[in-house]
Amino acid sequence: MNAVTAFLLIGSVYLVIIAYGVIRTRKRGLPPRVRLIAAAIQVVVPPAVLIGALLLTGDRMIATWGTLLAMLMVAGVFLAMCTEIVARRTL
């Protein structure tokens, strides 16, 4: 598996987890503050774990992967906001 395939697989799974988590917390009827905290945890923890794993492996491409994972976190934030807006109107 090359780097592009790995990133696409990791990125896709990450974004699906965020969208599912936002909808799940809304369906449970949790208060807005708890939903915000849950979304923040879902957005920040997976890339932080991946960066930690890269640091432990001593990968020479940590700067490149770090940049990509930071951009993935930004995409996760936007996805969480958009999913919340759409879920508010449809659920």
Side-chain angles (χ1 to χ4, degrees):
M1 179 182 305
N2 62 14
V4 174
T5 306
F7 182 73
L8 287 175
L9 181 65
I10 290 169
S12 300
V13 170
Y14 170 70
L15 294 175
V16 166
I17 288 171
I18 290 174
Y20 176 75
V22 169
I23 290 173
R24 186 185 62 209
T25 56
R26 183 159 263 302
K27 278 188 173 181
R28 286 186 179 177
L30 297 175
R33 187 176 182 101
V34 174
R35 287 197 317 260
L36 179 67
I37 292 170
I41 290 170
Q42 291 168 358
V43 167
V44 172
V45 171
V49 168
L50 289 173
I51 288 174
L54 285 172
L55 287 173
L56 289 177
T57 61
D59 191 2
R60 290 179 293 145
M61 306 236 343
I62 187 69
T64 304
W65 279 103
T67 304
L68 289 173
L69 291 173
M71 289 189 302
L72 192 62
M73 279 199 313
V74 171
V77 168
F78 286 126
L79 177 69
M81 289 187 313
C82 292
T83 305
E84 181 66 32
I85 291 168
V86 169
R88 183 181 313 143
R89 293 177 187 213
T90 59
L91 294 177

